[in-house]
Amino acid sequence: MLEIKNLSCKVKDHEKIILSDFNLKINSGEVHAIMGPNGAGKSTLSKIMMGHYNYDVLEGNIYFNDEDITNLDTSKRARLGIFLAMQDPTVISGVSNSEFLREAMQEIKGEKVNLYQFITQMNSNISDLHLSSDMIHRSINEGFSGGEKKKNEVLQLKMLKPKFIILDELDSGLDVDSLKIVCSNINEYLKENPDTAVLIITHYPRILEYIQPNYVHVLNNGKIVQTGDFSLAKEIEKKGYQGINVLGKIDENE
């Protein structure tokens, strides 16, 4: 479904290369996890995949369902079915959750969304996520707690029905109960949409206990330096990044 070939990139107007000759292939229905120390390039990867304006691709390509999307803008990537649950969701004052989601659904479908069906679906998903019913009328993420913001990202996911999901440190800001709720909702979505692929970006293996990955990759110095299954994540938890057999030196303070 998604393939990244020989990708190198940097922050706009900066010289330092963040991802260098990066390669990754994710098939339909697979769950992959990216782990690595601070400064390894994990969140940069998520932004590059979504076409963030502040990053320059120096070489390489990103393919989605065999289409080269390297130079597509963010909105076009979203219309193709790529969704990013952000590490720090943006606050958008003056735009309610319901307005945003209905408009986004209409953009993706290319047709009007039935209001009754929209409200029914929205209310069901809000209940599943243990969110307050009044949040659909509130501005996007305005005044939301960290946990509410992350649940709101999962609400958007469930409403927009993407084909490829990027979870950028979804577990940050969530207590144990909230993490179980959001992961349960994501797993239910994957059960109903088995061809959906997922990329989980995380520091810790806790979320991987709830959404089990097929593959775990360790990112260091802009490249994947080791790949394994869930047991690799458990080994990292036990030994730390310095304790596992990765290529090159990991600088935790980079």
Side-chain angles (χ1 to χ4, degrees):
M1 178 177 285
L2 182 129
E3 186 170 10
I4 302 175
K5 289 185 176 181
N6 309 120
L7 189 73
S8 296
C9 69
K10 69 179 185 67
V11 178
K12 194 177 293 292
D13 299 326
H14 288 72
E15 295 302 318
K16 183 180 178 181
I17 306 297
I18 300 177
L19 296 179
S20 176
D21 196 25
F22 181 91
N23 291 274
L24 179 65
K25 185 175 182 179
I26 301 177
N27 296 313
S28 297
E30 291 182 345
V31 177
H32 290 237
I34 294 277
M35 302 184 69
N38 292 330
K42 299 185 301 299
S43 290
T44 294
L45 174 61
S46 70
K47 292 172 182 175
I48 286 290
M49 292 170 72
M50 286 306 300
H52 195 287
Y53 64 90
N54 200 38
Y55 292 84
D56 289 332
V57 173
L58 302 177
E59 58 182 283
N61 301 87
I62 304 172
Y63 298 94
F64 183 67
N65 287 329
D66 297 322
E67 178 180 348
D68 190 341
I69 65 169
T70 311
N71 297 313
L72 287 188
D73 64 30
T74 301
S75 63
K76 291 179 180 177
R77 299 185 196 208
R79 287 186 178 94
L80 288 174
I82 305 175
F83 178 90
L84 169 63
M86 293 184 285
Q87 179 179 346
D88 184 19
T90 303
V91 174
I92 305 177
S93 299
V95 180
S96 73
N97 277 287
S98 60
E99 291 172 332
F100 163 72
L101 281 171
R102 194 174 181 212
E103 185 65 30
M105 289 173 69
Q106 290 177 162
E107 285 290 325
I108 291 171
K109 292 184 176 182
E111 60 184 25
K112 291 286 185 181
V113 173
N114 180 276
L115 181 58
Y116 174 77
Q117 292 177 348
F118 172 78
I119 292 173
T120 300
Q121 184 182 355
M122 173 83 87
N123 287 338
S124 175
N125 288 328
I126 285 173
S127 176
D128 289 343
L129 286 162
H130 297 198
L131 282 165
S132 172
S133 59
D134 70 348
M135 61 84 61
I136 63 172
H137 306 296
R138 295 162 60 184
S139 293
I140 300 171
N141 295 321
E142 190 169 60
F144 284 24
S145 67
E148 286 176 326
K149 287 182 179 180
K150 294 304 179 73
K151 287 182 178 181
N152 200 27
E153 294 289 284
V154 178
L155 172 64
Q156 294 170 19
L157 180 161
K158 295 183 71 177
M159 295 293 289
L160 298 176
K161 300 188 181 304
K163 301 171 185 174
F164 183 83
I165 300 167
I166 308 165
L167 304 174
D168 186 8
E169 297 194 26
L170 182 70
D171 47 346
S172 66
L174 288 177
D175 59 33
V176 174
D177 290 334
S178 294
L179 180 62
K180 288 180 179 179
I181 290 168
V182 298
C183 290
S184 174
N185 275 264
I186 292 171
N187 281 329
E188 187 63 31
Y189 179 85
L190 296 179
K191 183 178 179 181
E192 294 172 356
N193 302 274
D195 290 335
T196 305
V198 183
L199 178 63
I200 303 172
I201 296 170
T202 184
H203 277 292
Y204 308 106
R206 183 175 62 167
I207 188 174
L208 306 182
E209 295 177 358
Y210 298 111
I211 306 175
Q212 291 249 338
N214 301 104
Y215 301 96
V216 174
H217 311 282
V218 178
L219 184 64
N220 183 38
N221 296 326
K223 294 181 180 181
I224 291 174
V225 295
Q226 189 162 330
T227 295
D229 55 19
F230 180 57
S231 64
L232 176 58
K234 298 299 289 184
E235 188 179 4
I236 291 170
E237 182 181 38
K238 182 179 179 180
K239 299 179 180 179
Y241 292 110
Q242 295 285 4
I244 64 174
N245 184 28
V246 296
L247 302 177
K249 181 182 178 182
I250 292 176
D251 184 357
E252 293 283 359
N253 298 313
E254 184 178 3

